Amino acid sequence: MQKKVFQLLATNTSGVLSRISGLFSRRGYNIESITAGVTSNPEYTRITIVTSGDDEVLEQIEKQVAKLVDIKVVKELKPDESVYRELALVKVRCSAEERPSVIAITDIFRGKIVDVATDSLIIEITGDVEKIDKFLELLEGHEILELARTGMAGLSRGIETVTI
Amino acid sequence: MIGAEAIIKCLESEDVKYVFGYPGVAICPFYNSILESDIKTILVRTEQSAAHAASGLARLTGKPGVCAVTSGPGATNIITGIATAYADSIPMVIITGQVKTDLIGSDVFQEADITGAVESFVKYSYLVKKAEDLPRIFKEAFYIAGSGRKGPVLIDIPIDVQNAQIKSFKYPESVNLRTYKPTVKGNASQIKKVIGKVRTANRPIMCIGGGVQLGDANAEVLKFAEDHNIPMVSTMMGIGTIPTDHPLYFGMVGNNGKPYANKAMNEADVIMMVGARVADRAISQPDLITKDKVLIHIDVDPAEIGKNAVSSIPLVGDCKAIFEDLNKEEFESDTSKWIKALDSYKKDLKIKRNPNKDYVDPESFIQTLTEALEDDAVYIADVGQNQIFSCAYAKIKKGKFLTSGGMGTMGYSIPAALGAKLADPKRQVVCVCGDGSFQMSMCELATFRQHGVLAKIIVFNNTYLGMVREYQHYSYKDNYSMVSLDGSPNLEKLVSAYDFDYLRLENAKGLKKTIEKFLADKNSALLEVMIDPLDLVK
């Protein structure tokens, strides 16, 4: 089993995400994360899918996704040629005494405190999946009340683009 | 003009002659507007048959068959027919009525999320939101259904969209689909590689799938085989592509196929899979066709290549275009030794049946029947033992062999025969079904009668769901469960209620004469053939 990140360019129509996720579920493919958002051209949506499988399955995933009528391009985002980012919002139980230590960890990870209340903090942090995992590990000892992760978005490095 | 009238105009622009369907409130605007058109409507007796009939028509015309049903149960009833067409890559456009746009999602009477429900059985689907979009959507739907790897496309149209006024109608001349561009021409360097391998092959073989007929490439593929003396076998969906008595043709492969066809595949050194998807029933052990062999896989759908077997030379494109290119290459090859070997396998590996003389032997019946048929006749087999016997013994000359190969949908043959006969009324069309599959579609006898379509239906009566009984014989030591068809109707009485003629064969006596009488009958007729209840296909 290996992990792969695919970037798709799809028409921005209703149902396109359900067509993609339906394809993954009915053919038994894994989705580790999927993110979607409109591109600079509002007719298209850019989607990043993180998936895993053996070589043959990954080849099939690429071909089956490309076959969907709404999909313009499917491209693998290779780790050394791409930038991946994920955003996480973490709500931590945090008393006034605990605050400095949480803020210190957040600063090290270049995160931001986006909400402060008497007994809690919300931290915003972006990075690749490993960085966010590491950050959550370091928060151990503090109770994480809620966690929202966006899933990974990615682009290939350099001037080359996946566009229409 | 209202949306419903625009839909009719779209169908006229696509040169649609027939719409198969069943009405309901949500599709009433459409069926009202169609009265003004020359397009003929065929009322089937259950929605699933509308899709099978459209499929039968599509397989004769090569163009998408069209059906139109109402929302809710009308739409859900047609799903099996759509899935059947999808599994065999049959081009089809399905129109479903839908409840009013502002009621969608509120679970009103006869509402079903049909685009959601058919998602995995269609090539594409639309839920129409504005009547102005209808011309574009229909143009796209027909293009998607009939191009690349063909398949069904569903258009769900809320009743208010059918009734909405549109200012002007213009059917687009071309489609503008930026995300859908199927490959037609084969890659030139891959074609060179194919030629290189076939030229030096000692034991080449071509395995013909349903894609060859769907791609209208019969003549091109046959020319390639004949020019270079390459023997051929076929999958179930490929039967009839090559005349079955052609000296280079060695029958159907697979676990229900000819032993000598499978042996030929196993012994070949270069295999060309053409328009075939290496499905489990055709190739049960894909590693056998790849190990120590060169597998050339030609298909219009790139996702089929490498799905079930890893090919040495993938070649994506339209069969016709690819074989036109392959036929431009001139080369000599000597396969006479190999063909001689295959001829001897064919002689030695014949399945010897031991027919019960008290009944009709399916082998001699199907051989006599297909010899008596006109050269270009359409033979439609249903699903079950009747299908496997048909695949094994039907002689197809210049005609066609239709069956539900991928999905194995019982009840396919009778409505498919309706569609095929309407597509080409001069052509002889016969369908062969079992007593089980007949009862799944016998309601359609009325459709033949209502619309004056000549029916020629053969029922193999063995009083069992034979295929399952055979499976229970081998796998459950004759512990039969749910396979007895006791309670079946008297077919003579049944068909007389529809003004059909009735003929019957108890045993070999009068076989040829009865078949001739059945085929010559100017009236619709049913021929009941009594088969040994314990007969086995293998």
Side-chain angles (χ1 to χ4, degrees):
Chain A
M1 284 272 270
Q2 50 162 321
K3 202 181 262 192
K4 259 193 190 181
V5 181
F6 289 109
Q7 183 178 124
L8 329 177
L9 210 55
T11 51
N12 186 13
T13 49
S14 62
V16 65
L17 264 185
S18 89
R19 281 176 171 134
I20 295 166
S21 57
L23 171 72
F24 273 72
S25 69
R26 77 173 167 271
R27 291 196 183 267
Y29 305 148
N30 300 316
I31 298 187
E32 300 199 355
S33 82
I34 180 165
T35 62
V38 68
T39 67
S40 52
N41 176 347
E43 285 178 42
Y44 289 93
T45 297
R46 194 179 301 276
I47 297 165
T48 310
I49 295 183
V50 183
T51 179
S52 58
D54 58 27
D55 285 348
E56 278 121 51
V57 170
L58 290 168
E59 187 191 323
Q60 267 296 302
I61 290 174
E62 190 167 352
K63 285 175 164 178
Q64 294 289 353
V65 172
K67 204 168 116 174
L68 291 173
V69 170
D70 287 321
I71 301 295
K72 172 79 181 170
V73 193
V74 182
K75 192 180 176 252
E76 186 193 346
L77 289 175
K78 294 192 173 139
D80 47 347
E81 297 164 10
S82 315
V83 179
Y84 308 141
R85 287 294 180 271
E86 185 180 11
L87 182 142
L89 294 173
V90 195
K91 188 188 283 183
V92 192
R93 188 187 295 280
C94 187
S95 62
E97 299 81 61
E98 290 171 299
R99 246 179 238 151
S101 75
V102 174
I103 291 170
I105 301 167
T106 305
D107 283 344
I108 294 166
F109 280 82
R110 282 186 270 172
K112 275 193 276 182
I113 309 292
V114 290
D115 180 67
V116 185
T118 329
D119 294 318
S120 70
L121 281 178
I122 296 179
I123 305 156
E124 173 198 310
I125 180 162
T126 56
D128 56 25
V129 174
E130 290 72 27
K131 176 181 164 185
I132 292 171
D133 288 345
K134 216 47 254 155
F135 175 71
L136 295 172
E137 242 172 64
L138 283 174
L139 279 182
E140 253 176 53
H142 301 277
E143 187 190 349
I144 295 174
L145 296 168
E146 276 180 319
L147 171 66
R149 296 177 72 153
T150 58
M152 194 199 281
L155 283 179
S156 60
R157 292 180 187 274
I159 189 79
E160 266 187 40
T161 56
V162 179
T163 44
I164 313 100
Chain B
M1 178 189 284
I2 61 167
E5 291 165 321
I7 300 169
I8 309 300
K9 277 226 176 290
C10 295
L11 298 183
E12 286 169 346
S13 306
E14 291 291 343
D15 206 19
V16 171
K17 301 273 192 292
Y18 292 99
V19 171
F20 303 92
Y22 210 102
V25 169
I27 194 73
C28 267
F30 169 82
Y31 276 122
N32 183 56
S33 295
I34 207 166
L35 290 173
E36 303 296 319
S37 166
D38 290 336
I39 297 172
K40 294 192 179 67
T41 51
I42 304 292
L43 175 69
V44 292
R45 294 314 196 251
T46 181
E47 285 89 350
Q48 189 190 128
S49 300
H52 294 325
S55 166
L57 180 131
R59 289 183 63 178
L60 263 79
T61 61
K63 295 199 301 191
V66 179
C67 32
V69 297
T70 195
S71 64
T76 54
N77 255 354
I78 204 172
I79 293 177
T80 302
I82 297 173
T84 306
Y86 185 69
D88 291 338
S89 309
I90 308 297
M92 190 179 289
V93 171
I94 305 102
I95 301 165
T96 49
Q98 182 56 277
V99 301
K100 269 179 73 188
T101 307
D102 56 1
L103 295 177
I104 289 177
S106 59
D107 302 325
V108 291
F109 178 67
Q110 292 198 332
E111 183 192 352
D113 167 24
I114 192 61
T115 52
V118 295
E119 180 52 40
S120 52
F121 308 117
V122 291
K123 197 168 163 188
Y124 200 60
S125 63
Y126 296 88
L127 170 58
V128 186
K129 303 216 165 121
K130 291 194 306 262
E132 283 76 19
D133 292 341
L134 286 164
R136 174 186 59 81
I137 286 174
F138 271 83
K139 182 75 190 180
E140 288 178 5
F142 274 87
Y143 176 67
I144 292 169
S147 60
R149 180 175 183 177
K150 297 170 183 179
V153 175
L154 183 135
I155 309 174
D156 196 24
I157 313 175
I159 188 166
D160 54 310
V161 173
Q162 296 176 53
N163 282 324
Q165 288 289 335
I166 53 172
K167 283 191 195 97
S168 65
F169 177 90
K170 192 170 173 288
Y171 199 62
E173 272 165 30
S174 58
V175 286
N176 180 22
L177 281 164
R178 277 175 290 180
T179 57
Y180 173 76
K181 292 194 168 56
T183 308
V184 177
K185 261 194 105 53
N187 178 296
S189 77
Q190 293 298 88
I191 285 178
K192 284 265 178 307
K193 277 190 208 162
V194 170
I195 294 291
K197 287 295 178 193
V198 176
R199 188 202 303 261
T200 54
N202 292 316
R203 298 179 306 281
I205 197 157
M206 274 208 273
C207 180
I208 313 289
V212 176
Q213 295 192 63
L214 287 165
D216 187 26
N218 296 21
E220 289 77 8
V221 170
L222 185 59
K223 179 174 161 49
F224 187 75
E226 285 176 341
D227 284 357
H228 309 295
N229 277 308
I230 302 169
M232 292 168 284
V233 291
S234 78
T235 66
M236 184 182 279
M237 294 307 291
I239 292 177
T241 310
I242 306 301
T244 46
D245 62 353
H246 194 285
L248 287 171
Y249 180 67
F250 292 90
M252 182 179 95
V253 295
N255 49 5
N256 287 315
K258 300 281 189 199
Y260 49 84
N262 292 329
K263 191 168 165 77
M265 285 287 273
N266 292 341
E267 290 196 357
D269 59 351
V270 173
I271 296 177
M272 293 174 83
M273 294 291 295
V274 188
R277 60 194 170 98
V278 197
D280 57 326
R281 292 298 161 108
I283 311 288
S284 53
Q285 286 172 277
D287 51 326
L288 284 183
I289 62 161
T290 51
K291 201 170 162 250
D292 308 324
K293 294 179 199 301
V294 175
L295 176 64
I296 298 163
H297 198 167
I298 300 173
D299 207 288
V300 72
D301 179 358
E304 284 306 340
I305 296 173
K307 187 175 90 178
N308 299 326
V310 178
S311 61
S312 338
I313 308 176
L315 179 47
V316 177
D318 175 70
C319 262
K320 197 180 182 83
I322 284 177
F323 275 84
E324 277 169 359
D325 283 346
L326 288 172
N327 284 332
K328 283 180 201 147
E329 308 279 339
E330 277 179 35
F331 64 92
E332 297 281 318
S333 50
D334 182 14
T335 57
S336 52
K337 250 200 213 153
W338 167 230
I339 289 168
K340 223 176 182 175
L342 294 182
D343 280 331
S344 74
Y345 297 158
K346 193 170 176 175
K347 239 178 260 153
D348 301 342
L349 294 175
K350 258 215 160 90
I351 303 171
K352 284 192 185 70
R353 290 175 47 79
N354 189 15
N356 182 341
K357 292 215 164 39
D358 295 336
Y359 294 92
V360 181
D361 171 32
E363 177 177 2
S364 60
F365 176 83
I366 292 168
Q367 280 172 349
T368 314
L369 169 71
T370 47
E371 269 162 22
L373 290 176
E374 287 164 14
D375 279 4
D376 68 343
V378 180
Y379 184 109
I380 308 182
D382 213 289
V383 168
Q385 285 182 322
N386 67 84
Q387 179 184 37
I388 305 306
F389 284 133
S390 294
C391 291
Y393 305 119
K395 293 182 179 172
I396 308 295
K397 296 157 216 168
K398 291 174 193 152
K400 277 186 183 283
F401 181 86
L402 314 187
T403 195
S404 162
M407 189 59 68
T409 305
M410 285 174 68
Y412 164 84
S413 68
I414 292 175
L418 175 80
K421 190 69 185 172
L422 283 167
D424 197 346
K426 287 199 196 99
R427 224 159 149 171
Q428 203 174 31
V429 176
V430 293
C431 71
V432 173
C433 46
D435 43 346
S437 43
F438 173 76
Q439 288 181 74
M440 277 206 184
S441 282
M442 64 186 187
C443 54
E444 299 305 335
L445 299 190
T447 314
F448 282 92
R449 185 163 173 245
Q450 176 179 6
H451 300 285
V453 184
L454 187 72
K456 296 284 164 155
I457 299 168
I458 293 156
V459 178
F460 279 12
N461 186 350
N462 62 357
T463 70
Y464 273 118
L465 294 169
M467 202 69 195
V468 183
R469 190 203 66 81
E470 179 164 343
Y471 181 67
Q472 290 174 352
H473 165 73
Y474 286 119
S475 303
Y476 293 91
K477 298 181 181 153
D478 286 328
N479 259 331
Y480 298 148
S481 176
M482 294 289 283
V483 291
S484 164
L485 284 171
D486 279 353
S488 295
N490 175 317
L491 292 186
E492 181 171 16
K493 281 187 188 165
L494 181 90
V495 301
S496 78
Y498 293 96
D499 292 333
F500 274 46
D501 291 335
Y502 172 83
L503 296 91
R504 182 184 175 94
L505 269 172
E506 297 276 355
N507 49 44
K509 204 169 148 244
L511 181 70
K512 198 159 177 254
K513 267 212 172 120
T514 310
I515 287 172
E516 279 165 2
K517 193 175 161 205
F518 168 72
L519 293 175
D521 195 342
K522 295 267 189 293
N523 193 19
S524 283
L526 181 140
L527 170 57
E528 184 172 17
V529 183
M530 305 312 289
I531 306 285
D532 179 2
L534 299 181
D535 205 347
L536 302 166
V537 296
K538 48 181 173 190

